[in-house]
Amino acid sequence: MTDTLTSDTSDAADVAVYAVLFAILLGVIAVPALLVLRALRTRGRRRWYLLREWAKVDRGHDAQFPTAYGTQTPHARFMGAGLIFLLLVALAATLIASSTDPQAAAALPGVVVAGLFTWAPIKKYAVRHTWAGREQAARGRARMRQVHRDRLTEAAPIQQPGVHPGLLYIACLSPTVIVGIILLVARPKNVAVLAVLGLLALACLALSAPLLLLKRRRERIVLAEAANALRPSFNAGVVVRPVRYGLNELPEQREAHSSYAWDDGPPRIGALAIRTETLSLRGTDGGALDIPLTDLAGVVYLPSAAAWLHPSVDLLLHSGPGIELRSPHAKDIAAALADSGVAVTPM
């Protein structure tokens, strides 16, 4: 139709004929294609719903959840749609550069529509792979908790972790240092460039250290203020320690059977107090939980490998689930529970 309208020999009859042919093509091809796409989308939504419902009831340490997402290579549709999308982006850029040509301008909407169709499977599989990664993490955590339960019979006194986080950072940086030394030996003329790069790296580390300390200090202030606000809700004379909870699950997973709501996200702030026979938790959102110490199968002290995060304690309950609490006083909490007769498993 664009070619007819821009032609020097076109007339009203030609335009009418092309308009009729265009309408017939829409009725014969476009409408059935849209109906098929609608049916496919409805089926995809149903399968996606059933997959998530299955995941909710099959999230134990021995879960036989399918690993087709998140653990294998991306789906062929995702890869194919990604390639076609890149080609369409290149074609759209070419058409935009040739926008003065009427035929090129007329082809641009079709390219945009084709790009939207190819973007649909890309978004679909990206969402599913991200979700599957979180589900695999939930099952990994359940398996680790089961391992900790098995180790409770061999509980030992709390001790520092075998590998300090600083050593991990050194191990990660050592390949770069080795490559730099090799380049320095092989190309001594480039010593000035390597020295500048090394100084820039040291400057970045020097600047990040104060920011890290400031972040940890602000976190401690926020936690301390929350603990002070919640102190009246505890009995007088008990030691109140600030904690963060809701560290493991996402909001859409709160109905899962695997844990208490106190183990569900998003992360919230609260306080903890240990009495003679009870562990009391209070949250700034109004939540309250009292756990008899006899209900605790054990506690796992989890030092953090990230310098900007505090260590945590994982409360393992006889009923099955666990509650992970992160606090700058995590070591003191684990020690207090150990003094109260609760088995503590260090990491």
Side-chain angles (χ1 to χ4, degrees):
M1 291 184 68
T2 303
D3 182 70
T4 303
L5 291 173
T6 57
S7 176
D8 296 335
T9 60
S10 62
D11 54 19
D14 294 335
V15 175
V17 169
Y18 278 100
V20 171
L21 292 176
F22 183 69
I24 292 175
L25 287 176
L26 282 178
V28 174
I29 298 178
V31 174
L34 290 175
L35 292 176
V36 172
L37 289 174
R38 180 184 178 185
L40 292 175
R41 189 173 184 181
T42 302
R43 187 189 69 171
R45 286 181 175 179
R46 180 63 179 170
R47 293 176 65 185
W48 181 226
Y49 171 78
L50 292 176
L51 191 65
R52 288 179 293 174
E53 292 298 312
W54 183 8
K56 288 182 180 181
V57 299
D58 189 28
R59 194 180 284 164
H61 69 279
D62 56 349
Q64 298 298 321
F65 186 75
T67 58
Y69 291 103
T71 57
Q72 298 180 356
T73 56
H75 199 283
R77 294 177 187 173
F78 177 83
M79 302 298 294
L83 179 60
I84 295 173
F85 184 78
L86 292 177
L87 294 176
L88 290 173
V89 170
L91 179 58
T94 303
L95 293 175
I96 292 174
S98 306
S99 58
T100 55
D101 186 359
Q103 280 78 12
L108 187 58
V111 174
V112 173
V113 171
L116 294 176
F117 273 104
T118 55
W119 177 252
I122 294 174
K123 180 180 178 182
K124 168 186 173 181
Y125 287 106
V127 170
R128 292 194 180 187
H129 275 279
T130 303
W131 171 82
R134 296 195 299 262
E135 290 295 327
Q136 294 297 332
R139 283 156 183 77
R141 183 175 61 257
R143 287 190 291 270
M144 286 302 299
R145 281 178 170 170
Q146 185 62 32
V147 171
H148 296 156
R149 289 178 184 276
D150 296 339
R151 292 175 55 189
L152 286 174
T153 55
E154 304 174 359
I158 300 174
Q159 58 187 8
Q160 292 291 338
V163 180
H164 193 276
L167 297 178
L168 297 178
Y169 298 137
I170 294 175
C172 293
L173 292 175
S174 59
T176 303
V177 176
I178 294 173
V179 171
I181 295 174
I182 293 174
L183 289 176
L184 182 61
V185 174
R187 297 176 179 270
K189 294 181 179 180
N190 297 333
V191 61
V193 177
L194 293 176
V196 171
L197 293 177
L199 290 175
L200 289 176
L202 291 176
C204 292
L205 291 176
L207 291 176
S208 61
L211 294 177
L212 176 62
L213 295 176
L214 180 61
K215 183 177 181 180
R216 289 178 65 93
R217 182 174 179 275
R218 288 178 177 176
E219 173 73 4
R220 286 177 175 270
I221 292 175
V222 171
L223 291 174
E225 291 177 350
N228 291 333
L230 293 171
R231 195 177 299 274
S233 61
F234 294 96
N235 294 336
V238 297
V239 179
V240 178
R241 298 181 176 92
V243 295
R244 277 194 179 272
Y245 61 95
L247 305 176
N248 289 317
E249 298 284 351
L250 296 177
E252 62 268 21
Q253 297 172 335
R254 287 188 180 183
E255 297 179 359
H257 183 66
S258 63
S259 64
Y260 279 117
W262 284 71
D263 203 39
D264 298 345
R268 289 153 286 172
I269 301 176
L272 172 148
I274 301 174
R275 293 180 290 175
T276 305
E277 299 179 353
T278 306
L279 184 149
S280 300
L281 290 169
R282 300 292 184 268
T284 54
D285 59 350
L289 180 65
D290 293 318
I291 305 175
L293 296 182
T294 55
D295 290 349
L296 290 176
V299 175
V300 181
Y301 174 72
L302 302 170
S304 176
W308 55 88
L309 294 178
H310 296 295
S312 60
V313 289
D314 200 8
L315 309 179
L316 304 180
L317 307 175
H318 284 296
S319 57
I323 304 175
E324 185 176 350
L325 305 172
R326 181 176 295 138
S327 171
H329 306 286
K331 193 177 184 67
D332 296 334
I333 294 174
L337 290 172
D339 293 340
S340 299
V342 179
V344 177
T345 301
M347 290 293 294

